Amino acid sequence: MDAAVGPDDQIEILLLTGPAGVGKSTLSWEISARLAEAGIAHATIESDELDRIFPRPSRQDLERLSPGTIDVSALTLKAIWSTYKELGSKRLILSGVMMHLDFDRRWITSAIPGARFTVVRLMATEENIASRLARRETEGSMEDQLGRSLRQMNRIATETGKDILYINTDGRTTSEITDEVLARIDWLKPQNRTEIL
């Protein structure tokens, strides 16, 4: 924990990870809806939206904005989170591929010091990834995206850790997966509820 961050200020991050097409976005929306229904304050961010800028900023651009920064996603997350934090949020659902968890934790904590992570790694078969991508990709982009997703899946498979919650999504509804995730984290406890007037 960051020395400047006390227990009452600690940010809880639910990090939903896995290859493109595995269902991270849909799951984040469902978890967010459940938390909102229970009156639990939180924010939801998709990491893909943190670096949608063209042209890509150079290392010199980033260094000028914030010395030592090497990824625009960290700057964007810091800017967005500063607003959410001022509005009282202490919980964040953050979804993204996250192929290199140690690196990803570093850039996230550079934006949100003292964050505590619960990492959920979503998995699916190659067949199911292809089926899901087919429903969302255009015909021209399908082959390229499937290739990227399979490379992501293979790279992610090499990362293991006892602090990662692995969830197979094959043959399961988003609601069922949401039930499992919420059963494993403590965000639904009564003391976590925020009265909505």
Side-chain angles (χ1 to χ4, degrees), residues 4-60:
V5 178
D8 292 338
D9 298 317
Q10 186 161 32
I11 305 304
E12 301 281 346
I13 297 181
L14 177 61
L15 194 59
L16 302 178
T17 71
V22 79
K24 301 180 298 296
S25 296
T26 304
L27 180 62
S28 72
W29 301 332
E30 178 67 20
I31 292 172
S32 177
R34 295 272 194 96
L35 293 174
E37 186 177 291
I40 297 173
H42 68 283
T44 307
I45 298 173
E46 292 192 38
S47 66
D48 284 351
E49 303 305 321
L50 297 174
D51 63 357
R52 287 196 194 276
I53 183 171
F54 181 85
R56 299 280 295 185
S58 67
R59 293 288 281 271
Q60 292 79 11

Side-chain angles (χ1 to χ4, degrees), residues 70-143:
I70 60 171
D71 191 326
V72 68
S73 294
L75 287 180
T76 312
L77 179 60
K78 183 176 184 178
I80 294 170
W81 185 254
S82 68
T83 300
Y84 290 165
K85 184 179 179 183
E86 286 300 314
L87 292 171
S89 190
K90 293 184 180 180
R91 292 179 183 81
L92 171 62
I93 304 166
L94 181 61
S95 62
V97 173
M98 310 289 175
M99 287 195 295
H100 308 282
L101 275 177
D102 287 341
F103 170 80
D104 290 313
R105 283 186 174 113
R106 283 196 299 273
W107 72 257
I108 294 166
T109 53
S110 74
I112 307 176
R116 188 172 77 176
F117 293 87
T118 299
V119 180
V120 173
R121 184 74 90 190
L122 300 180
M123 302 175 297
T125 62
E126 182 177 327
E127 179 182 14
N128 280 327
I129 293 283
S131 174
R132 291 168 184 167
L133 288 174
R135 292 195 295 267
R136 80 175 204 200
E137 298 294 325
T138 64
E139 186 175 342
S141 66
M142 173 62 186
E143 187 175 337

